[in-house]
């Protein structure tokens, strides 16, 4: 299994990032997280995803391309 943590501002772009990962075979792992970035005045979000069917793990692999 390989793991990614998707992060970004709470915008439609973040939703598209998660949707793209799901369309590539990643699965949601746990609940999303939200936090207020007071310095920039925006909400930030994160969603963990995992993939079970993948090439052997290599620390140099580009997880977004998987």
């Amino acid at each position: 299994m390989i793991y990614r943590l998707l992060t970004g501002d709470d915008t439609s772009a973040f939703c598209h990032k998660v949707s793209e990962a799901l369309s590539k075979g990643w699965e949601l792992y746990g609940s999303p997280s939200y936090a207020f970035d007071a310095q920039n005045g925006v909400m930030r979000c994160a969603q963990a995803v995992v993939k079970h069917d993948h090439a052997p793990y290599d620390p140099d692999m580009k997880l977004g391309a998987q």
Side-chain angles (χ1 to χ4, degrees), residues 5-62:
L5 181 64
L6 305 174
T7 61
D9 291 351
D10 188 14
T11 65
S12 63
F14 177 77
C15 295
H16 285 286
K17 183 188 292 190
V18 174
S19 295
E20 179 183 23
L22 295 174
S23 75
K24 291 182 176 181
W26 292 86
E27 299 175 18
L28 299 177
Y29 186 79
S31 299
S33 297
Y34 297 94
F36 183 67
D37 177 348
Q39 183 174 356
N40 294 301
V42 297
M43 291 296 292
R44 304 240 186 235
C45 45
Q47 174 64 60
V49 292
V50 294
K51 196 170 199 181
H52 299 278
D53 182 24
H54 59 85
Y57 176 73
D58 177 343
D60 294 324
M61 69 186 351
K62 303 283 188 230

